[in-house]
């Protein structure tokens, strides 16, 4: 969501558009896209919170070998997401320079924006889906045959209603709330979004004061979705999006919760603060015209003890944590502790 794409901000209130390509990759292939090891490529930006959900899920579920990963440059140009981090400026598997080429192969003259996350069919080079709300749920429930041994159940059937309800509030007020505040073009619109955001965060903090995770006693999809916003909070949303009633590090419960997840294999090892900061501060020229990227915040606190284990909970339920990320997917330290 730069100043374009299929989201819009302008004189009217910030509107997030719905994903246009909503085909589902399923175990039974009923929409023409069967789950198949090695067939699809997940295209992300490590800067993007919506894409980062899929990166975390893929790690927790051990889908790295089955679903390969393309990482776009955090700075889009006027053709949007590009593979300028790769040799020859081309994605080595898809052979394309811009993600838009996969969109074009799917639908010519598609008028919307080019967004991540996107899943591309490698043999045809066509985009399958950019439906970020669905992608992770399908990784959890449709890709089970390819999950690693010991993979957690991120969307357990008996808890789905509760997970859905929590995620709906988190989406409206937090995941998307920071964008509504950041791209507001009127004082009142900003204040409303900001007030709702912090009210919701306070409520989530109360919920998390006595329980380690949002729903049940294990990590679920709901935690992944809250984490991807919290981990960006002080680095970009507090300053760039003016969500500055308090910093994450000033909220005892949420800061400990975020650190707990960050230190859990599969979460912090996917986070690239350099990509995050450069993307937001340099791409959103409407709200940061100088493109200056701030030096802070100090990231050294992320690895400090969180003591959340005292609340009980079993991060992976009956499963186990994922192993370390593959060498090629390690996030550079960039001043990270
Ligand atoms: N596709 C969804 C969510 C994904 C999304 O917004 N991704 C951003 C990056 S965080 C993106 O790719 N935006 C298109 C662009 O910036 O050109 C939407 O439009 O709301």
């Amino acid at each position: 969501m730069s100043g374009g794409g299929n989201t819009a901000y302008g004189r009217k209130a910030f509107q997030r558009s719905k994903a246009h390509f909503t085909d589902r990759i399923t175990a039974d292939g009923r929409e023409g896209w069967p789950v198949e090891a090695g067939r699809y490529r997940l295209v992300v930006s490590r800067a993007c919170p919506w894409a980062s959900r899929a990166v975390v899920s893929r790690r927790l579920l051990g889908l790295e070998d089955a679903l390969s990963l393309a990482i776009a440059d955090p700075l889009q140009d006027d053709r949007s997401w590009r593979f300028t981090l790769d040799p020859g400026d081309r994605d080595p598997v898809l052979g394309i320079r811009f993600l838009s080429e996969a969109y074009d192969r799917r639908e010519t003259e598609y008028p919307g924006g080019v967004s991540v996350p996107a899943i591309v069919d490698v043999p045809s080079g066509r985009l399958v889906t950019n439906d970020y709300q669905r992608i992770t749920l399908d990784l959890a429930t449709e890709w089970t045959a390819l999950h690693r041994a010991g993979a957690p159940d991120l969307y357990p059937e008996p808890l789905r209603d509760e997970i859905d309800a929590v995620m709906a509030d988190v989406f409206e007020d937090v995941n998307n709330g920071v964008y509504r505040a950041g791209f507001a073009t009127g004082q009142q619109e900003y204040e409303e979004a900001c007030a709702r955001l912090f009210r919701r965060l306070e409520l989530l903090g109360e919920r998390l004061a006595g329980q380690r995770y949002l729903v049940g006693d294990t990590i679920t999809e709901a935690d992944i979705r809250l984490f991807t916003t919290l981990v960006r909070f002080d680095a970009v949303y507090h300053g760039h999006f003016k969500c500055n009633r308090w910093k994450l590090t000033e909220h005892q419960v949420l800061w400990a919760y975020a650190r707990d997840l960050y230190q859990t294999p599969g979460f912090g090892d996917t986070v690239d603060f350099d990509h995050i900061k450069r993307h937001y501060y340099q791409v959103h020229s409407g709200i940061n015209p100088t493109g200056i990227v701030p030096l802070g915040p100090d990231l050294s606190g992320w690895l400090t003890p969180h003591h959340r284990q005292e609340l009980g909970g079993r991060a992976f339920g009956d499963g186990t944590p994922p192993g370390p990320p593959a060498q090629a997917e390690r996030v550079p330290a960039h001043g990270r502790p």
Side-chain angles (χ1 to χ4, degrees), residues 61-88:
L61 299 171
L63 286 169
E64 291 103 317
D65 291 337
L67 174 64
S68 67
L69 183 69
I71 299 175
D73 193 306
L75 305 183
Q76 299 124 289
D77 69 7
D78 54 5
R79 291 182 62 182
S80 191
W81 298 107
R82 52 193 182 148
F83 298 109
T84 28
L85 302 179
D86 293 297

PDB file of all heavy atoms in Angstrom, residues 61-88:
ATOM      1  N   LEU A  61       4.752 -23.855  10.065  1.00  0.00           N
ATOM      2  CA  LEU A  61       4.190 -25.098   9.532  1.00  0.00           C
ATOM      3  C   LEU A  61       5.234 -25.945   8.804  1.00  0.00           C
ATOM      4  O   LEU A  61       4.950 -27.069   8.400  1.00  0.00           O
ATOM      5  CB  LEU A  61       3.026 -24.764   8.573  1.00  0.00           C
ATOM      6  CG  LEU A  61       1.859 -24.017   9.236  1.00  0.00           C
ATOM      7  CD1 LEU A  61       0.863 -23.527   8.179  1.00  0.00           C
ATOM      8  CD2 LEU A  61       1.142 -24.904  10.256  1.00  0.00           C
ATOM      9  N   GLY A  62       6.427 -25.382   8.621  1.00  0.00           N
ATOM     10  CA  GLY A  62       7.482 -26.145   7.947  1.00  0.00           C
ATOM     11  C   GLY A  62       7.194 -26.347   6.472  1.00  0.00           C
ATOM     12  O   GLY A  62       7.473 -27.410   5.916  1.00  0.00           O
ATOM     13  N   LEU A  63       6.663 -25.322   5.827  1.00  0.00           N
ATOM     14  CA  LEU A  63       6.324 -25.447   4.398  1.00  0.00           C
ATOM     15  C   LEU A  63       7.420 -24.908   3.481  1.00  0.00           C
ATOM     16  O   LEU A  63       7.204 -24.764   2.270  1.00  0.00           O
ATOM     17  CB  LEU A  63       5.008 -24.700   4.123  1.00  0.00           C
ATOM     18  CG  LEU A  63       3.745 -25.399   4.630  1.00  0.00           C
ATOM     19  CD1 LEU A  63       2.537 -24.462   4.553  1.00  0.00           C
ATOM     20  CD2 LEU A  63       3.476 -26.675   3.834  1.00  0.00           C
ATOM     21  N   GLU A  64       8.600 -24.634   4.047  1.00  0.00           N
ATOM     22  CA  GLU A  64       9.652 -23.981   3.241  1.00  0.00           C
ATOM     23  C   GLU A  64      10.026 -24.778   1.990  1.00  0.00           C
ATOM     24  O   GLU A  64      10.248 -24.201   0.936  1.00  0.00           O
ATOM     25  CB  GLU A  64      10.915 -23.750   4.079  1.00  0.00           C
ATOM     26  CG  GLU A  64      10.742 -22.695   5.165  1.00  0.00           C
ATOM     27  CD  GLU A  64      10.581 -23.318   6.530  1.00  0.00           C
ATOM     28  OE1 GLU A  64       9.831 -24.326   6.645  1.00  0.00           O
ATOM     29  OE2 GLU A  64      11.187 -22.821   7.492  1.00  0.00           O
ATOM     30  N   ASP A  65      10.120 -26.107   2.125  1.00  0.00           N
ATOM     31  CA  ASP A  65      10.525 -26.891   0.949  1.00  0.00           C
ATOM     32  C   ASP A  65       9.382 -27.031  -0.049  1.00  0.00           C
ATOM     33  O   ASP A  65       9.592 -27.193  -1.247  1.00  0.00           O
ATOM     34  CB  ASP A  65      11.011 -28.285   1.375  1.00  0.00           C
ATOM     35  CG  ASP A  65      12.344 -28.189   2.123  1.00  0.00           C
ATOM     36  OD1 ASP A  65      13.058 -27.181   1.931  1.00  0.00           O
ATOM     37  OD2 ASP A  65      12.652 -29.105   2.902  1.00  0.00           O
ATOM     38  N   ALA A  66       8.169 -27.003   0.448  1.00  0.00           N
ATOM     39  CA  ALA A  66       7.009 -27.215  -0.439  1.00  0.00           C
ATOM     40  C   ALA A  66       6.607 -25.947  -1.181  1.00  0.00           C
ATOM     41  O   ALA A  66       6.129 -25.996  -2.317  1.00  0.00           O
ATOM     42  CB  ALA A  66       5.829 -27.710   0.393  1.00  0.00           C
ATOM     43  N   LEU A  67       6.781 -24.815  -0.527  1.00  0.00           N
ATOM     44  CA  LEU A  67       6.328 -23.533  -1.086  1.00  0.00           C
ATOM     45  C   LEU A  67       7.510 -22.576  -1.030  1.00  0.00           C
ATOM     46  O   LEU A  67       7.872 -22.077   0.037  1.00  0.00           O
ATOM     47  CB  LEU A  67       5.153 -22.996  -0.235  1.00  0.00           C
ATOM     48  CG  LEU A  67       4.611 -21.618  -0.548  1.00  0.00           C
ATOM     49  CD1 LEU A  67       3.991 -21.574  -1.944  1.00  0.00           C
ATOM     50  CD2 LEU A  67       3.541 -21.224   0.491  1.00  0.00           C
ATOM     51  N   SER A  68       8.114 -22.299  -2.179  1.00  0.00           N
ATOM     52  CA  SER A  68       9.325 -21.469  -2.169  1.00  0.00           C
ATOM     53  C   SER A  68       8.966 -19.995  -1.974  1.00  0.00           C
ATOM     54  O   SER A  68       7.804 -19.595  -2.094  1.00  0.00           O
ATOM     55  CB  SER A  68      10.130 -21.681  -3.447  1.00  0.00           C
ATOM     56  OG  SER A  68       9.422 -21.182  -4.556  1.00  0.00           O
ATOM     57  N   LEU A  69       9.991 -19.200  -1.660  1.00  0.00           N
ATOM     58  CA  LEU A  69       9.748 -17.816  -1.242  1.00  0.00           C
ATOM     59  C   LEU A  69      10.524 -16.837  -2.116  1.00  0.00           C
ATOM     60  O   LEU A  69      11.737 -16.992  -2.311  1.00  0.00           O
ATOM     61  CB  LEU A  69      10.211 -17.662   0.214  1.00  0.00           C
ATOM     62  CG  LEU A  69       9.984 -16.315   0.887  1.00  0.00           C
ATOM     63  CD1 LEU A  69       8.489 -16.065   1.115  1.00  0.00           C
ATOM     64  CD2 LEU A  69      10.722 -16.261   2.234  1.00  0.00           C
ATOM     65  N   ALA A  70       9.828 -15.851  -2.647  1.00  0.00           N
ATOM     66  CA  ALA A  70      10.480 -14.760  -3.377  1.00  0.00           C
ATOM     67  C   ALA A  70      10.340 -13.494  -2.544  1.00  0.00           C
ATOM     68  O   ALA A  70       9.248 -13.172  -2.080  1.00  0.00           O
ATOM     69  CB  ALA A  70       9.798 -14.549  -4.730  1.00  0.00           C
ATOM     70  N   ILE A  71      11.460 -12.806  -2.337  1.00  0.00           N
ATOM     71  CA  ILE A  71      11.427 -11.603  -1.489  1.00  0.00           C
ATOM     72  C   ILE A  71      11.670 -10.379  -2.356  1.00  0.00           C
ATOM     73  O   ILE A  71      12.742 -10.225  -2.957  1.00  0.00           O
ATOM     74  CB  ILE A  71      12.464 -11.710  -0.363  1.00  0.00           C
ATOM     75  CG1 ILE A  71      12.120 -12.939   0.506  1.00  0.00           C
ATOM     76  CG2 ILE A  71      12.500 -10.438   0.464  1.00  0.00           C
ATOM     77  CD1 ILE A  71      13.123 -13.237   1.573  1.00  0.00           C
ATOM     78  N   ALA A  72      10.664  -9.532  -2.421  1.00  0.00           N
ATOM     79  CA  ALA A  72      10.767  -8.329  -3.247  1.00  0.00           C
ATOM     80  C   ALA A  72      11.575  -7.253  -2.527  1.00  0.00           C
ATOM     81  O   ALA A  72      11.677  -7.238  -1.297  1.00  0.00           O
ATOM     82  CB  ALA A  72       9.369  -7.806  -3.568  1.00  0.00           C
ATOM     83  N   ASP A  73      12.131  -6.357  -3.325  1.00  0.00           N
ATOM     84  CA  ASP A  73      12.816  -5.175  -2.789  1.00  0.00           C
ATOM     85  C   ASP A  73      11.805  -4.369  -1.965  1.00  0.00           C
ATOM     86  O   ASP A  73      10.665  -4.193  -2.413  1.00  0.00           O
ATOM     87  CB  ASP A  73      13.337  -4.343  -3.981  1.00  0.00           C
ATOM     88  CG  ASP A  73      14.318  -3.272  -3.544  1.00  0.00           C
ATOM     89  OD1 ASP A  73      13.985  -2.469  -2.658  1.00  0.00           O
ATOM     90  OD2 ASP A  73      15.430  -3.248  -4.095  1.00  0.00           O
ATOM     91  N   PRO A  74      12.192  -3.887  -0.781  1.00  0.00           N
ATOM     92  CA  PRO A  74      11.219  -3.120   0.006  1.00  0.00           C
ATOM     93  C   PRO A  74      10.800  -1.802  -0.652  1.00  0.00           C
ATOM     94  O   PRO A  74       9.790  -1.217  -0.261  1.00  0.00           O
ATOM     95  CB  PRO A  74      11.950  -2.858   1.324  1.00  0.00           C
ATOM     96  CG  PRO A  74      13.402  -3.046   1.027  1.00  0.00           C
ATOM     97  CD  PRO A  74      13.470  -4.060  -0.079  1.00  0.00           C
ATOM     98  N   LEU A  75      11.575  -1.347  -1.608  1.00  0.00           N
ATOM     99  CA  LEU A  75      11.220  -0.091  -2.284  1.00  0.00           C
ATOM    100  C   LEU A  75      10.613  -0.396  -3.653  1.00  0.00           C
ATOM    101  O   LEU A  75      11.312  -0.866  -4.554  1.00  0.00           O
ATOM    102  CB  LEU A  75      12.460   0.798  -2.460  1.00  0.00           C
ATOM    103  CG  LEU A  75      13.226   1.114  -1.174  1.00  0.00           C
ATOM    104  CD1 LEU A  75      14.390   2.050  -1.465  1.00  0.00           C
ATOM    105  CD2 LEU A  75      12.296   1.717  -0.127  1.00  0.00           C
ATOM    106  N   GLN A  76       9.312  -0.125  -3.779  1.00  0.00           N
ATOM    107  CA  GLN A  76       8.683  -0.297  -5.086  1.00  0.00           C
ATOM    108  C   GLN A  76       9.042   0.871  -5.985  1.00  0.00           C
ATOM    109  O   GLN A  76       9.327   1.975  -5.501  1.00  0.00           O
ATOM    110  CB  GLN A  76       7.157  -0.309  -4.942  1.00  0.00           C
ATOM    111  CG  GLN A  76       6.618  -1.406  -4.081  1.00  0.00           C
ATOM    112  CD  GLN A  76       5.774  -0.848  -2.954  1.00  0.00           C
ATOM    113  OE1 GLN A  76       6.301  -0.240  -2.028  1.00  0.00           O
ATOM    114  NE2 GLN A  76       4.468  -1.065  -3.023  1.00  0.00           N
ATOM    115  N   ASP A  77       9.003   0.639  -7.296  1.00  0.00           N
ATOM    116  CA  ASP A  77       9.090   1.791  -8.194  1.00  0.00           C
ATOM    117  C   ASP A  77       7.728   1.942  -8.880  1.00  0.00           C
ATOM    118  O   ASP A  77       6.736   1.378  -8.413  1.00  0.00           O
ATOM    119  CB  ASP A  77      10.267   1.660  -9.174  1.00  0.00           C
ATOM    120  CG  ASP A  77      10.074   0.573 -10.197  1.00  0.00           C
ATOM    121  OD1 ASP A  77       8.964  -0.010 -10.248  1.00  0.00           O
ATOM    122  OD2 ASP A  77      11.020   0.302 -10.957  1.00  0.00           O
ATOM    123  N   ASP A  78       7.674   2.709  -9.973  1.00  0.00           N
ATOM    124  CA  ASP A  78       6.344   2.951 -10.546  1.00  0.00           C
ATOM    125  C   ASP A  78       5.737   1.701 -11.173  1.00  0.00           C
ATOM    126  O   ASP A  78       4.571   1.700 -11.541  1.00  0.00           O
ATOM    127  CB  ASP A  78       6.357   4.145 -11.517  1.00  0.00           C
ATOM    128  CG  ASP A  78       7.415   3.990 -12.584  1.00  0.00           C
ATOM    129  OD1 ASP A  78       8.060   2.917 -12.621  1.00  0.00           O
ATOM    130  OD2 ASP A  78       7.586   4.919 -13.397  1.00  0.00           O
ATOM    131  N   ARG A  79       6.509   0.616 -11.263  1.00  0.00           N
ATOM    132  CA  ARG A  79       5.907  -0.658 -11.691  1.00  0.00           C
ATOM    133  C   ARG A  79       5.669  -1.574 -10.494  1.00  0.00           C
ATOM    134  O   ARG A  79       5.488  -2.757 -10.647  1.00  0.00           O
ATOM    135  CB  ARG A  79       6.793  -1.333 -12.736  1.00  0.00           C
ATOM    136  CG  ARG A  79       6.782  -0.559 -14.063  1.00  0.00           C
ATOM    137  CD  ARG A  79       7.611  -1.244 -15.135  1.00  0.00           C
ATOM    138  NE  ARG A  79       7.096  -2.577 -15.456  1.00  0.00           N
ATOM    139  CZ  ARG A  79       7.665  -3.404 -16.351  1.00  0.00           C
ATOM    140  NH1 ARG A  79       8.758  -3.012 -17.001  1.00  0.00           N
ATOM    141  NH2 ARG A  79       7.152  -4.584 -16.607  1.00  0.00           N
ATOM    142  N   SER A  80       5.715  -1.003  -9.330  1.00  0.00           N
ATOM    143  CA  SER A  80       5.431  -1.700  -8.075  1.00  0.00           C
ATOM    144  C   SER A  80       6.534  -2.680  -7.671  1.00  0.00           C
ATOM    145  O   SER A  80       7.715  -2.421  -7.922  1.00  0.00           O
ATOM    146  CB  SER A  80       4.058  -2.362  -8.114  1.00  0.00           C
ATOM    147  OG  SER A  80       3.707  -2.812  -6.821  1.00  0.00           O
ATOM    148  N   TRP A  81       6.166  -3.804  -7.101  1.00  0.00           N
ATOM    149  CA  TRP A  81       7.142  -4.703  -6.475  1.00  0.00           C
ATOM    150  C   TRP A  81       8.086  -5.273  -7.519  1.00  0.00           C
ATOM    151  O   TRP A  81       7.679  -5.721  -8.577  1.00  0.00           O
ATOM    152  CB  TRP A  81       6.434  -5.847  -5.738  1.00  0.00           C
ATOM    153  CG  TRP A  81       5.567  -5.356  -4.619  1.00  0.00           C
ATOM    154  CD1 TRP A  81       4.199  -5.307  -4.607  1.00  0.00           C
ATOM    155  CD2 TRP A  81       5.985  -4.820  -3.355  1.00  0.00           C
ATOM    156  NE1 TRP A  81       3.752  -4.782  -3.419  1.00  0.00           N
ATOM    157  CE2 TRP A  81       4.826  -4.479  -2.631  1.00  0.00           C
ATOM    158  CE3 TRP A  81       7.231  -4.595  -2.756  1.00  0.00           C
ATOM    159  CZ2 TRP A  81       4.859  -3.932  -1.348  1.00  0.00           C
ATOM    160  CZ3 TRP A  81       7.272  -4.045  -1.479  1.00  0.00           C
ATOM    161  CH2 TRP A  81       6.100  -3.722  -0.790  1.00  0.00           C
ATOM    162  N   ARG A  82       9.383  -5.271  -7.192  1.00  0.00           N
ATOM    163  CA  ARG A  82      10.399  -5.706  -8.157  1.00  0.00           C
ATOM    164  C   ARG A  82      11.430  -6.581  -7.455  1.00  0.00           C
ATOM    165  O   ARG A  82      11.607  -6.497  -6.246  1.00  0.00           O
ATOM    166  CB  ARG A  82      11.054  -4.479  -8.801  1.00  0.00           C
ATOM    167  CG  ARG A  82      11.541  -3.519  -7.761  1.00  0.00           C
ATOM    168  CD  ARG A  82      11.924  -2.160  -8.289  1.00  0.00           C
ATOM    169  NE  ARG A  82      12.416  -1.384  -7.160  1.00  0.00           N
ATOM    170  CZ  ARG A  82      13.344  -0.451  -7.202  1.00  0.00           C
ATOM    171  NH1 ARG A  82      13.882  -0.110  -8.348  1.00  0.00           N
ATOM    172  NH2 ARG A  82      13.720   0.175  -6.122  1.00  0.00           N
ATOM    173  N   PHE A  83      12.138  -7.360  -8.276  1.00  0.00           N
ATOM    174  CA  PHE A  83      13.065  -8.357  -7.708  1.00  0.00           C
ATOM    175  C   PHE A  83      14.505  -7.883  -7.805  1.00  0.00           C
ATOM    176  O   PHE A  83      15.393  -8.615  -8.225  1.00  0.00           O
ATOM    177  CB  PHE A  83      12.832  -9.709  -8.386  1.00  0.00           C
ATOM    178  CG  PHE A  83      11.438 -10.237  -8.157  1.00  0.00           C
ATOM    179  CD1 PHE A  83      10.504 -10.277  -9.180  1.00  0.00           C
ATOM    180  CD2 PHE A  83      11.050 -10.643  -6.886  1.00  0.00           C
ATOM    181  CE1 PHE A  83       9.211 -10.738  -8.950  1.00  0.00           C
ATOM    182  CE2 PHE A  83       9.761 -11.102  -6.637  1.00  0.00           C
ATOM    183  CZ  PHE A  83       8.842 -11.146  -7.677  1.00  0.00           C
ATOM    184  N   THR A  84      14.723  -6.663  -7.371  1.00  0.00           N
ATOM    185  CA  THR A  84      16.053  -6.067  -7.470  1.00  0.00           C
ATOM    186  C   THR A  84      17.020  -6.546  -6.386  1.00  0.00           C
ATOM    187  O   THR A  84      18.173  -6.133  -6.365  1.00  0.00           O
ATOM    188  CB  THR A  84      15.934  -4.531  -7.458  1.00  0.00           C
ATOM    189  OG1 THR A  84      14.747  -4.183  -6.738  1.00  0.00           O
ATOM    190  CG2 THR A  84      15.825  -3.967  -8.838  1.00  0.00           C
ATOM    191  N   LEU A  85      16.549  -7.421  -5.495  1.00  0.00           N
ATOM    192  CA  LEU A  85      17.490  -8.011  -4.534  1.00  0.00           C
ATOM    193  C   LEU A  85      18.140  -9.265  -5.123  1.00  0.00           C
ATOM    194  O   LEU A  85      19.086  -9.799  -4.553  1.00  0.00           O
ATOM    195  CB  LEU A  85      16.756  -8.410  -3.241  1.00  0.00           C
ATOM    196  CG  LEU A  85      16.003  -7.308  -2.494  1.00  0.00           C
ATOM    197  CD1 LEU A  85      15.313  -7.875  -1.262  1.00  0.00           C
ATOM    198  CD2 LEU A  85      16.943  -6.170  -2.113  1.00  0.00           C
ATOM    199  N   ASP A  86      17.635  -9.726  -6.253  1.00  0.00           N
ATOM    200  CA  ASP A  86      18.128 -10.972  -6.856  1.00  0.00           C
ATOM    201  C   ASP A  86      19.145 -10.676  -7.953  1.00  0.00           C
ATOM    202  O   ASP A  86      19.112  -9.603  -8.564  1.00  0.00           O
ATOM    203  CB  ASP A  86      16.948 -11.751  -7.458  1.00  0.00           C
ATOM    204  CG  ASP A  86      16.011 -12.255  -6.383  1.00  0.00           C
ATOM    205  OD1 ASP A  86      16.455 -13.063  -5.559  1.00  0.00           O
ATOM    206  OD2 ASP A  86      14.846 -11.800  -6.354  1.00  0.00           O
ATOM    207  N   PRO A  87      20.025 -11.657  -8.218  1.00  0.00           N
ATOM    208  CA  PRO A  87      21.011 -11.459  -9.289  1.00  0.00           C
ATOM    209  C   PRO A  87      20.312 -11.140 -10.620  1.00  0.00           C
ATOM    210  O   PRO A  87      19.304 -11.773 -10.947  1.00  0.00           O
ATOM    211  CB  PRO A  87      21.718 -12.823  -9.377  1.00  0.00           C
ATOM    212  CG  PRO A  87      21.428 -13.516  -8.078  1.00  0.00           C
ATOM    213  CD  PRO A  87      20.141 -12.958  -7.550  1.00  0.00           C
ATOM    214  N   GLY A  88      20.820 -10.132 -11.320  1.00  0.00           N
ATOM    215  CA  GLY A  88      20.221  -9.744 -12.602  1.00  0.00           C
ATOM    216  C   GLY A  88      18.855  -9.089 -12.444  1.00  0.00           C
ATOM    217  O   GLY A  88      18.116  -8.929 -13.423  1.00  0.00           O
TER     218      GLY A  88
END
